[in-house]
Amino acid sequence: MRTLLLAFSAVMLALAGLSAPLNAQEPLEKTGELPPLYRAEMDLAEGFVSDMMASGVVVPVPADPGGGYTHEQHKRNYRAIYLAGQLYRITGDRAYADYVRDMLLAYAELYPTLGEHPAKANQNVGRLFWQVLNDAVWLVHAVQGYADVRDTLSAADRAAIDDRVFRRAAHFLSVESQATFDRIHNHATWATAGVGMTGYLLDDRDMVDRALLGSDKTGNTGFLRQTELLFSPDGYYTEGPYYQRYALMPFMVFADAIARNDPERGIFAHRDGILLKALRTTIQLTYGGYFFPFNDAIRDKSLNTDELYHGVAIAYAETRDPGLLAIADWQGRTILTEDGLLLARDLAAGTPQPFDFRTLLLRDGPEGDRGAVAILRDGKGPDHLALVAKNTSQGMGHGHFDKLSWQLYDNGHEIVRDYGAARFLNVVAKEGGRYLPENESWAKQTVAHNALVVNGTSHFGGDADLADRHAPRQLHFSSVPGLQLSSARIDTAYPDNPVAMQRTLALVDVAGLASPVVIDVLRATGETANTYDLPLHYAGHIIETGFVVDRELAGRRVLGNSHGYQHIWVDGTARVQSDGAFMTWLLGGRFYSYRMAAQPDLQVILGESGANDPAFNLRREPLVIQRVEGAKETTFVSLLEPHGMSDGATEQTVDSQSLIASLQHRKYNGYDLVIVETKRGGKTVLAISNDTDPDKQHRANIDGRMVRWTGFAERIDLAGEKN
Amino acid sequence: MRTLLLAFSAVMLALAGLSAPLNAQEPLEKTGELPPLYRAEMDLAEGFVSDMMASGVVVPVPADPGGGYTHEQHKRNYRAIYLAGQLYRITGDRAYADYVRDMLLAYAELYPTLGEHPAKANQNVGRLFWQVLNDAVWLVHAVQGYADVRDTLSAADRAAIDDRVFRRAAHFLSVESQATFDRIHNHATWATAGVGMTGYLLDDRDMVDRALLGSDKTGNTGFLRQTELLFSPDGYYTEGPYYQRYALMPFMVFADAIARNDPERGIFAHRDGILLKALRTTIQLTYGGYFFPFNDAIRDKSLNTDELYHGVAIAYAETRDPGLLAIADWQGRTILTEDGLLLARDLAAGTPQPFDFRTLLLRDGPEGDRGAVAILRDGKGPDHLALVAKNTSQGMGHGHFDKLSWQLYDNGHEIVRDYGAARFLNVVAKEGGRYLPENESWAKQTVAHNALVVNGTSHFGGDADLADRHAPRQLHFSSVPGLQLSSARIDTAYPDNPVAMQRTLALVDVAGLASPVVIDVLRATGETANTYDLPLHYAGHIIETGFVVDRELAGRRVLGNSHGYQHIWVDGTARVQSDGAFMTWLLGGRFYSYRMAAQPDLQVILGESGANDPAFNLRREPLVIQRVEGAKETTFVSLLEPHGMSDGATEQTVDSQSLIASLQHRKYNGYDLVIVETKRGGKTVLAISNDTDPDKQHRANIDGRMVRWTGFAERIDLAGEKN
Ligand SMILES: [Zn+2]
Ligand SMILES: [Zn+2]
């Protein structure tokens, strides 16, 4: 029994250890109580840093653009400074501190010799990197590593590094690059964070105040103002999730530093807790861990990113929200700060609750009145159904001309797609990793989105400045059992030949169907005879079309010559005159049928992206376009139905064909009535009043039957014979 | 301490329980010792069977083809009979036995009324299903379920089911469908298994003997002969892995029954243990769990399939090979037999050893002289590099015209692809789930493979009968550190205008590169001026080409009009006159550069599959073709180099550009000398004598330096200046 007793004691000691306070004197590691996630993170850091230490200090004269050797080496260096500093703090091993010192002394030699980076591409040129942004990121990391070892340095080394690296870098970012520093923009957030944290470390109040309040210290610019202007009241960052993720890191890291150094500022409570709200919103803007790829987004960005390891750990330390533990568990990563240690400990102590992914509306704009993102979710977990209606404003220079566009996720896959950016990050042969020409000519254009195109021209004629001056209006958002619905409108997307667009997107339960369906009602009202195109960028292999396609079999023409149309190959066209306007595709073992309500002269164009792409910069992905020509107004009513499954392992295929018999649209009194009939005879109506008065009562006659509802919209079940 | 002591005793009891013999009297469940995998399998079975029981016995009159309602219902029924029988054996719950009885009594009503299935598509028509094969599968499952409950039945019920279902089904398969039954073909394996197992159950020796020895009981056909003729001495099934997997189930299940009923036959030792060898070979024919998609393969078939749950459990019970436990662990599934229980117990008892995936040669043909599959593997685990050289014979009706084709897997992905079959299994809208027209016009054609096409014509002119009469010859296969190599030859693929083809494929270490590279030397020797096309079907997004492509930007023509060329869109063409003939693509975060040695008038054609595809039956996938026109002979020398990485999470990109400076090919004395120079100056030579004498010594002069080697080929490191 002796062994068992000893084991028992060890367990009790370990349990006691878990709640023991941190010993500030003793290096953390000596206390022998590191939870697995934190220990794994240390191992990763030790692996990286020991490789770096083995290669010696390599601080090259800057030469290359993004992806090139000197670019990547300086990135490796700031990671090494940052991590080696933390490892010194944790282990007390002087070798780490000495390495950080030697590295920073090498920078102290180099930095004062630098002028503009030779790979300068625009006016925002950096010193160590081709753009000033990367210099700011370098500073944010390096100053943290330096903080961990600064006390170990000789006075001479400290002075050399303080003056020749950090003061100079801060001066470069805040004075020499003042135009960037004083912007309300994520580049400025990185710059203010770097400068402010340097100020805290060097006890330079002037530096801190300029970071917090802008160069003129009025608060019209600077970090605090950024927290007010860059996020909406719902914590949405106007450039979209990809940049939100990126922007969040300096916000969270600098806020953490402010909270420690200037606790009286209550930074995390500032503006109703906007930073913590923004962190949660960032997570809500994902499916399967991947960000919705709005605007200039790199599609492989997920929550598995350094920015979110920091964000989640810092927010957890502030809030103890157990859902954040689930996110950290999914990430399988954290950071080596005290916040990371706390998170890793609490995660080790039990199974986390799932993060609360839910249906919600995220308003855009500092005042929340510049459109919104509406997220409609059905179900839970990795296979749930999520509809994303992008009714936001343009989102500045990285915005796309995609007003009232949408996406759909289901069964772990993106079903209705957003292209994201045309860019191969850090890939030298792809223009040094910068945005490619096709980002302008395709990725930003309206036809590259699930959005209405009028007369073959992108929204705002593709003018980003004009686009930034107008935003959609979110008319309605609601969620009740059986019906989740968003409706938004914009009248200004075509200023020269005005077209009012209103789009209602809903997840609607249909009696007899296992999954809700998407109903999409897009009204376009112009003043002259226009051509209206409504593209749908789907993912999957076509299984069946309910219309006869006039195929382009032996040669493939291009659909147009500008506004993105030059990038579309035509696979075929169809005229649709009956209710047979559906097509079915297969993705990830599930079938999807897209059904288009009949309307006069409705054409369907099947195509694929990738034409006029000399350098093979585009992905080749299918799309379908509904087209109505020569009409002043039109209403596109579409339905997307997930159905059935095809399982390769069991060779079982179920419901590979649509379960819906027909989709009809009736206009009546300004109402839109959408009638869905299933093959088994069930009939479901989505009745939309288009009236935002929540209490107003409405009624309409459908085939002799009166239906009544209240407010903007309701789902009405007209029981069928065999239902 | 009392609690601890009690817990300890419980553990000891549990451990004792693990090795206790099965109690044959008591239902298994009552013994309370079911390991997790087995218990989970029971839960799955209970879920399925209780749903089926809740719907009542539904035995419809056969009407629909594959994927249709009656087809799927009869499939559900045989699964229910099979699983309910097992659940009765395990739980002793009479409800299961009664359900099997009721179901089989319904079949006893239906079966005698059946003639040819109305959805007959060819002469192999079934009764319950559109083809006799499915009837055989039904019988194999149903007879096992029936065996578990037969003792519980009244004499009248037993007689009704024996006579009106099983004897009739066995008669239908073995007498009325004798032509199928006596084939040497997987359809016949299912039929003989069903009939033989029925014979064991009904104690009908005649039935058993016809199953084992063929209708005439001479042994010229029947199950035993099938084990001799359908597998090569290395356990390779000539139709390829997809059908090997499928064929294996009746082989293993019937063999298990033979071993229990006729142990003196030593079935598992028959022909040097061919069935167990075949099971292991089936697993070797996978990457990441998915089968190499040779011939008419459905690409989403993996080891996660019912056939392999049976195969692995039965083989484990015979061999106790711990690698099979790892496979079962990956599958996360087993079967509810005693074999499955044993496997689940041993898996629960400890961590399995990995299955020994390795470099190996699998000869084709009953005598092992009809070509081979050579599998060259580098590394271990899910990301390892695997080159597959398909030098097999045609493989009967499901074979493709793909002589000396190859595939490459790396980093968890298929890099050099095989299309598999053009078929959507069980999808009604895709011709009822049958093979599509494009399976003949594209998937089977030579140009749809990584194989040499002469004068735009497929091997054997696309004549399957002719193809079956000729096979390649495996000249050489070897594996030493730094060089794994396969070489094969066929002279008969173009009988009317003979062209001898020899292909050497090797994984070669190159000094300074982290991963081995593929070197591909394809010699074609004809008698007249021919056009030689060598396609490579790669997967990934083009990053860079080392040649100027004359792009087809604003219209896309089709490459040809027959033998698969009518399905290829042309993206562009290039003339290659220097060493700059490379292209780089990105897949799964890794870069791949394909480099083609210069030769006179080498053209490159970039294209994509999907032209002339009226019903959208084809996938759209890229390919590159090397073309030499008007030459009697040519040697294509190519190199495929995996390099670098691009990690979205860390935004790190490393070595996105090829690390190789040049690829040269010298012919000398019948030798092929392939010289690879890296950008850092390292030089590696692959010296191929093309002489199968293992002891013969060879030498050649390379730029004034004499290199010497012995046997077929060697890798020689010519140290570079900066290496
Ligand atoms: Zn976009
Ligand atoms: Zn094939």
Side-chain angles (χ1 to χ4, degrees):
Chain A
M1 288 313 297
R2 188 170 159 71
T3 321
L4 271 179
L5 277 171
L6 281 174
F8 184 72
S9 311
V11 168
M12 292 310 291
L13 284 171
L15 286 170
L18 275 174
S19 53
L22 263 174
N23 182 335
Q25 317 306 313
E26 195 76 6
L28 195 53
E29 196 179 33
K30 301 276 157 52
T31 65
E33 40 166 275
L34 297 178
L37 182 63
Y38 194 83
R39 167 62 69 185
E41 202 62 43
M42 263 185 73
D43 291 347
L44 282 175
E46 281 168 346
F48 175 76
V49 172
S50 71
D51 283 357
M52 287 293 288
M53 287 168 72
S55 320
V57 168
V58 181
V59 178
V61 174
D64 303 326
Y69 166 68
T70 67
H71 182 93
E72 294 299 329
Q73 182 63 30
H74 287 292
K75 280 170 72 179
R76 280 189 285 275
N77 284 351
Y78 75 61
R79 275 189 70 203
I81 295 166
Y82 172 73
L83 293 173
Q86 295 183 313
L87 289 173
Y88 170 69
R89 178 172 42 75
I90 297 167
T91 65
D93 181 345
R94 264 310 273 264
Y96 292 123
D98 293 348
Y99 171 70
V100 172
R101 178 197 63 208
D102 295 348
M103 177 80 86
L104 287 173
L105 286 172
Y107 274 100
E109 290 299 309
L110 174 71
Y111 202 91
T113 70
L114 299 179
E116 284 194 347
H117 192 283
K120 163 178 183 166
N122 53 42
Q123 69 279 26
N124 302 318
V125 57
R127 291 263 155 104
L128 294 168
F129 298 92
W130 67 281
Q131 60 172 352
V132 66
L133 168 64
N134 299 89
D135 277 63
V137 174
W138 186 96
L139 183 59
V140 167
H141 287 86
V143 74
Q144 292 179 76
Y146 184 43
D148 284 325
V149 306
R150 190 165 173 268
D151 287 348
T152 70
L153 267 55
S154 70
D157 287 347
R158 190 155 57 222
I161 294 169
D162 282 0
D163 296 344
R164 295 165 64 90
V165 181
F166 288 95
R167 284 192 197 281
R168 278 178 195 260
H171 188 263
F172 168 64
L173 291 173
S174 60
V175 179
E176 293 164 76
S177 309
Q178 189 190 323
T180 301
F181 189 77
D182 283 341
R183 289 176 72 191
I184 300 296
H185 188 278
N186 84 74
H187 290 199
T189 312
W190 281 100
T192 53
V195 170
M197 290 165 78
T198 303
Y200 282 129
L201 180 64
L202 305 186
D203 203 15
D204 184 328
R205 197 68 224 179
D206 171 66
M207 228 183 253
V208 170
D209 287 345
R210 281 185 293 124
L212 290 174
L213 303 168
S215 293
D216 64 3
K217 302 188 189 174
T218 62
N220 287 330
T221 66
F223 185 78
L224 295 177
R225 194 67 184 142
Q226 290 163 23
T227 68
E228 287 153 12
L229 293 180
L230 287 179
F231 295 106
S232 80
D234 296 321
Y236 180 75
Y237 181 76
T238 192
E239 292 192 275
Y242 175 74
Y243 283 91
Q244 173 141 359
R245 172 245 358 138
Y246 187 65
L248 206 66
M249 168 114 157
F251 273 116
M252 296 300 283
V253 169
F254 189 23
D256 204 36
I258 297 168
R260 286 167 205 277
N261 287 280
D262 284 335
E264 73 290 349
R265 280 206 177 270
I267 183 68
F268 282 114
H270 187 63
R271 199 188 168 206
D272 199 21
I274 190 66
L275 290 176
L276 298 169
K277 205 179 278 180
L279 183 276
R280 283 206 195 83
T281 292
T282 307
I283 298 169
Q284 291 285 356
L285 291 163
T286 60
Y287 183 90
Y290 285 80
F291 292 104
F292 305 150
F294 296 169
N295 299 338
D296 279 346
I298 304 295
R299 293 174 52 87
D300 61 359
K301 265 295 162 191
S302 71
L303 293 170
N304 254 334
T305 172
D306 206 31
E307 296 88 359
L308 268 294
Y309 307 147
H310 283 81
V312 168
I314 293 168
Y316 180 74
E318 279 294 320
T319 64
R320 312 289 163 107
D321 172 356
L324 293 173
L325 294 180
I327 300 297
D329 196 35
W330 186 90
Q331 293 172 322
R333 297 287 303 273
T334 190
I335 54 174
L336 293 177
T337 63
E338 282 178 42
D339 295 342
L341 181 61
L342 173 75
L343 177 145
R345 277 191 176 139
D346 287 1
L347 187 58
T351 308
Q353 284 175 233
F355 184 83
D356 180 28
F357 287 103
R358 60 182 200 275
T359 291
L360 80 178
L361 185 72
L362 300 170
R363 290 167 294 163
D364 189 13
E367 311 295 328
D369 56 0
R370 295 184 48 80
V373 182
I375 307 173
L376 312 179
R377 299 191 192 258
D378 182 77
K380 292 277 175 198
D383 291 341
H384 78 275
L385 181 69
L387 186 159
V388 183
K390 183 174 183 291
N391 305 325
T392 65
S393 69
Q394 184 72 8
M396 309 200 284
H398 291 298
H400 288 190
F401 301 98
D402 62 353
K403 300 314 103 183
L404 314 189
S405 186
W406 69 293
Q407 278 178 269
L408 188 75
Y409 295 90
D410 184 43
N411 193 29
H413 295 275
E414 190 185 9
I415 308 304
V416 175
R417 290 178 296 98
D418 186 306
Y419 190 89
R423 181 182 187 185
F424 291 81
L425 201 64
N426 292 333
V427 175
V428 177
K430 291 295 194 191
E431 308 217 349
R434 292 193 275 273
Y435 289 102
L436 296 166
E438 290 76 13
N439 195 55
E440 294 296 321
S441 65
W442 170 253
K444 284 189 171 179
Q445 300 298 322
T446 306
V447 77
H449 296 86
N450 309 298
L452 184 75
V453 190
V454 181
N455 298 327
T457 306
S458 284
H459 298 161
F460 307 104
D463 179 337
D465 291 335
L466 177 61
D468 256 332
R469 293 203 290 275
H470 301 279
R473 191 152 50 93
Q474 184 75 31
L475 296 180
H476 182 78
F477 179 79
S478 61
S479 176
V480 296
L483 178 64
Q484 303 184 42
L485 185 143
S486 155
S487 189
R489 178 180 179 110
I490 185 166
D491 298 349
T492 51
Y494 289 97
D496 297 338
N497 173 25
V499 174
M501 305 176 196
Q502 184 189 327
R503 189 170 214 165
T504 301
L505 284 156
L507 286 183
V508 185
D509 282 3
V510 171
L513 304 191
S515 166
V517 302
V518 176
I519 291 181
D520 172 18
V521 179
L522 196 153
R523 289 181 157 214
T525 313
E527 299 175 359
T528 58
N530 292 319
T531 297
Y532 294 106
D533 282 355
L534 184 60
L536 185 88
H537 298 263
Y538 63 94
H541 193 119
I542 294 179
I543 293 299
E544 188 178 10
T545 61
F547 39 77
V548 176
V549 185
D550 183 13
R551 291 295 313 275
E552 317 245 340
L553 287 176
R556 216 171 175 196
R557 71 183 163 91
V558 172
L559 186 57
N561 46 44
S562 61
H563 289 264
Y565 284 76
Q566 72 274 28
H567 292 299
I568 300 174
W569 297 116
V570 178
D571 278 319
T573 54
R575 289 259 159 203
V576 177
Q577 268 132 356
S578 76
D579 275 2
F582 75 90
M583 56 186 289
T584 302
W585 64 83
L586 172 63
L587 184 78
R590 192 132 206 235
F591 298 91
Y592 298 88
S593 287
Y594 181 59
R595 191 171 290 272
M596 306 160 244
Q599 57 169 312
D601 298 318
L602 177 64
Q603 296 173 57
V604 175
I605 302 166
L606 297 174
E608 192 180 52
S609 60
N612 281 301
D613 174 24
F616 297 96
N617 286 339
L618 292 177
R619 296 192 304 275
R620 293 162 178 198
E621 297 176 333
L623 72 158
V624 52
I625 298 175
Q626 298 187 58
R627 171 172 288 183
V628 170
E629 286 175 313
K632 261 168 93 165
E633 55 180 66
T634 187
T635 303
F636 292 103
V637 176
S638 323
L639 182 150
L640 208 161
E641 170 201 3
H643 56 95
M645 55 77 88
S646 167
D647 180 346
T650 59
E651 298 202 355
Q652 291 276 342
T653 299
V654 176
D655 288 339
S656 62
Q657 295 187 295
S658 169
L659 303 171
I660 290 176
S662 72
L663 169 70
Q664 293 177 60
H665 173 232
R666 310 266 174 86
K667 282 193 161 186
Y668 174 78
N669 229 352
Y671 301 156
D672 287 296
L673 302 165
V674 182
I675 306 161
V676 181
E677 192 163 7
T678 64
K679 287 181 177 163
R680 301 191 62 190
K683 216 180 234 185
T684 302
V685 177
L686 177 62
I688 306 169
S689 68
N690 293 305
D691 185 329
T692 56
D693 180 346
D695 301 319
K696 197 151 156 196
Q697 304 207 342
H698 306 280
R699 60 184 208 168
N701 184 314
I702 295 180
D703 300 338
R705 209 165 136 180
M706 192 61 71
V707 297
R708 289 181 171 77
W709 75 97
T710 305
F712 197 89
E714 269 186 29
R715 172 193 173 282
I716 298 155
D717 205 348
L718 299 183
E721 289 71 17
K722 290 172 284 178
N723 196 32
Chain B
M1 286 313 295
R2 188 170 160 73
T3 320
L4 270 177
L5 277 170
L6 281 173
F8 184 72
S9 311
V11 168
M12 291 311 290
L13 285 170
L15 285 169
L18 275 173
S19 52
L22 263 175
N23 181 336
Q25 315 308 315
E26 196 75 6
L28 194 54
E29 196 179 33
K30 300 277 156 51
T31 65
E33 41 165 275
L34 298 178
L37 183 62
Y38 194 81
R39 168 60 70 183
E41 202 63 41
M42 263 186 73
D43 290 346
L44 283 174
E46 281 169 346
F48 175 75
V49 172
S50 71
D51 283 356
M52 287 294 288
M53 287 168 73
S55 319
V57 168
V58 180
V59 176
V61 174
D64 303 326
Y69 167 69
T70 67
H71 182 94
E72 294 300 326
Q73 182 62 29
H74 286 293
K75 280 171 72 178
R76 280 189 286 274
N77 284 351
Y78 74 60
R79 275 189 71 205
I81 295 167
Y82 171 73
L83 292 173
Q86 295 183 314
L87 289 173
Y88 170 69
R89 179 173 41 74
I90 298 167
T91 64
D93 181 343
R94 264 308 274 264
Y96 292 122
D98 293 348
Y99 171 70
V100 172
R101 177 198 62 208
D102 294 347
M103 177 81 86
L104 288 172
L105 286 172
Y107 274 99
E109 290 299 309
L110 175 71
Y111 204 90
T113 70
L114 299 179
E116 285 195 347
H117 191 282
K120 164 179 184 166
N122 54 42
Q123 69 278 28
N124 302 316
V125 58
R127 292 262 155 104
L128 293 168
F129 298 92
W130 66 280
Q131 60 173 352
V132 66
L133 168 64
N134 299 91
D135 277 63
V137 174
W138 187 96
L139 182 59
V140 167
H141 287 85
V143 73
Q144 293 179 75
Y146 184 42
D148 284 324
V149 306
R150 190 165 174 269
D151 288 349
T152 69
L153 267 55
S154 70
D157 288 346
R158 190 155 57 222
I161 294 170
D162 282 0
D163 296 343
R164 296 166 63 89
V165 181
F166 287 96
R167 284 193 198 281
R168 278 178 192 259
H171 188 262
F172 169 65
L173 291 173
S174 61
V175 179
E176 292 164 76
S177 308
Q178 190 190 321
T180 300
F181 189 77
D182 282 342
R183 289 177 72 191
I184 300 296
H185 188 279
N186 84 76
H187 290 200
T189 313
W190 282 100
T192 53
V195 170
M197 290 165 76
T198 303
Y200 282 129
L201 179 64
L202 305 187
D203 204 15
D204 183 329
R205 196 69 223 177
D206 170 65
M207 228 184 253
V208 171
D209 286 347
R210 282 185 291 123
L212 289 174
L213 304 168
S215 292
D216 64 2
K217 304 188 188 174
T218 62
N220 287 331
T221 67
F223 185 79
L224 295 177
R225 194 66 182 144
Q226 290 164 21
T227 69
E228 288 154 11
L229 293 180
L230 286 179
F231 295 106
S232 81
D234 297 321
Y236 180 75
Y237 181 77
T238 192
E239 292 193 274
Y242 175 74
Y243 283 91
Q244 173 141 0
R245 173 251 349 145
Y246 187 64
L248 206 66
M249 169 117 158
F251 274 116
M252 296 299 285
V253 170
F254 189 23
D256 204 35
I258 297 167
R260 288 168 203 276
N261 288 280
D262 284 336
E264 74 289 350
R265 281 207 177 268
I267 183 68
F268 282 114
H270 187 63
R271 199 189 167 204
D272 199 19
I274 190 65
L275 290 177
L276 297 169
K277 206 179 277 180
L279 183 275
R280 282 206 195 82
T281 291
T282 307
I283 298 170
Q284 291 285 356
L285 291 163
T286 60
Y287 182 89
Y290 285 80
F291 292 105
F292 305 150
F294 296 169
N295 299 339
D296 279 346
I298 303 294
R299 293 174 53 86
D300 61 0
K301 266 294 165 193
S302 71
L303 293 170
N304 255 333
T305 172
D306 206 32
E307 296 88 359
L308 268 294
Y309 307 147
H310 283 82
V312 168
I314 293 168
Y316 180 74
E318 278 296 320
T319 65
R320 312 288 163 111
D321 172 356
L324 294 174
L325 293 180
I327 300 298
D329 196 34
W330 186 90
Q331 293 172 321
R333 297 286 304 270
T334 191
I335 53 174
L336 293 178
T337 63
E338 282 179 41
D339 294 342
L341 181 62
L342 173 74
L343 177 144
R345 277 190 177 140
D346 287 2
L347 187 58
T351 306
Q353 281 175 231
F355 184 84
D356 181 27
F357 286 103
R358 59 182 202 275
T359 291
L360 80 178
L361 185 73
L362 300 170
R363 290 166 294 164
D364 189 12
E367 311 295 329
D369 56 1
R370 297 186 43 82
V373 183
I375 306 173
L376 313 178
R377 299 192 192 258
D378 181 77
K380 292 277 176 199
D383 292 341
H384 79 275
L385 181 69
L387 185 158
V388 184
K390 183 174 184 290
N391 305 326
T392 65
S393 68
Q394 185 73 9
M396 308 200 286
H398 290 297
H400 288 190
F401 301 98
D402 61 353
K403 300 312 105 184
L404 314 188
S405 187
W406 67 295
Q407 277 178 270
L408 187 75
Y409 295 90
D410 184 42
N411 194 30
H413 295 272
E414 190 185 10
I415 309 302
V416 174
R417 290 179 295 100
D418 187 308
Y419 191 88
R423 181 182 188 188
F424 291 81
L425 201 64
N426 292 333
V427 174
V428 177
K430 292 295 193 191
E431 308 216 351
R434 293 193 275 272
Y435 289 103
L436 296 167
E438 291 75 13
N439 195 55
E440 295 296 320
S441 63
W442 170 254
K444 283 189 171 178
Q445 300 298 323
T446 306
V447 77
H449 295 86
N450 309 299
L452 184 74
V453 190
V454 181
N455 298 327
T457 306
S458 285
H459 298 160
F460 308 104
D463 179 337
D465 291 335
L466 178 61
D468 256 332
R469 294 203 290 275
H470 300 280
R473 190 153 51 93
Q474 183 76 31
L475 296 179
H476 182 79
F477 179 79
S478 61
S479 176
V480 296
L483 178 64
Q484 303 184 43
L485 185 142
S486 155
S487 189
R489 179 180 178 111
I490 185 166
D491 297 350
T492 50
Y494 289 97
D496 298 338
N497 172 24
V499 175
M501 305 176 198
Q502 183 189 327
R503 190 171 212 164
T504 301
L505 282 158
L507 286 183
V508 186
D509 282 3
V510 171
L513 303 192
S515 166
V517 303
V518 176
I519 290 179
D520 172 19
V521 178
L522 196 151
R523 287 181 158 214
T525 314
E527 299 175 359
T528 58
N530 292 320
T531 297
Y532 294 106
D533 283 353
L534 184 60
L536 186 88
H537 298 264
Y538 63 95
H541 192 120
I542 293 180
I543 293 298
E544 189 178 11
T545 63
F547 39 77
V548 177
V549 184
D550 183 11
R551 291 296 311 276
E552 316 244 339
L553 287 177
R556 218 169 172 197
R557 71 184 163 91
V558 172
L559 186 57
N561 45 42
S562 61
H563 289 264
Y565 284 76
Q566 72 275 28
H567 292 300
I568 299 174
W569 296 117
V570 178
D571 279 320
T573 54
R575 289 259 160 202
V576 177
Q577 268 133 355
S578 76
D579 276 1
F582 75 90
M583 57 186 288
T584 302
W585 64 83
L586 173 62
L587 185 77
R590 194 135 202 230
F591 298 91
Y592 298 89
S593 286
Y594 181 60
R595 192 172 289 272
M596 306 160 244
Q599 59 168 314
D601 298 319
L602 177 63
Q603 295 172 56
V604 174
I605 301 167
L606 298 175
E608 192 181 52
S609 59
N612 281 300
D613 175 22
F616 297 96
N617 286 339
L618 291 176
R619 295 193 305 275
R620 294 163 176 198
E621 296 176 335
L623 72 158
V624 51
I625 298 175
Q626 297 187 57
R627 172 172 287 184
V628 170
E629 286 174 311
K632 262 169 93 164
E633 55 179 67
T634 188
T635 303
F636 293 103
V637 176
S638 324
L639 181 149
L640 206 161
E641 170 201 5
H643 55 94
M645 55 77 87
S646 169
D647 181 345
T650 60
E651 299 202 351
Q652 293 274 342
T653 299
V654 177
D655 289 340
S656 62
Q657 296 188 294
S658 168
L659 302 171
I660 290 176
S662 72
L663 169 69
Q664 293 177 60
H665 173 232
R666 310 267 173 86
K667 284 191 162 190
Y668 174 79
N669 231 348
Y671 300 158
D672 288 297
L673 302 163
V674 182
I675 306 160
V676 181
E677 191 162 8
T678 64
K679 287 181 177 162
R680 302 190 62 189
K683 218 181 235 185
T684 302
V685 176
L686 177 62
I688 306 169
S689 68
N690 293 306
D691 186 327
T692 56
D693 180 343
D695 302 318
K696 195 150 155 198
Q697 304 207 344
H698 307 278
R699 59 185 208 168
N701 184 313
I702 295 180
D703 300 338
R705 213 167 132 179
M706 193 60 73
V707 297
R708 290 182 169 76
W709 74 100
T710 306
F712 196 90
E714 269 185 28
R715 172 194 173 281
I716 298 155
D717 204 349
L718 299 183
E721 290 71 18
K722 290 171 287 175
N723 197 32

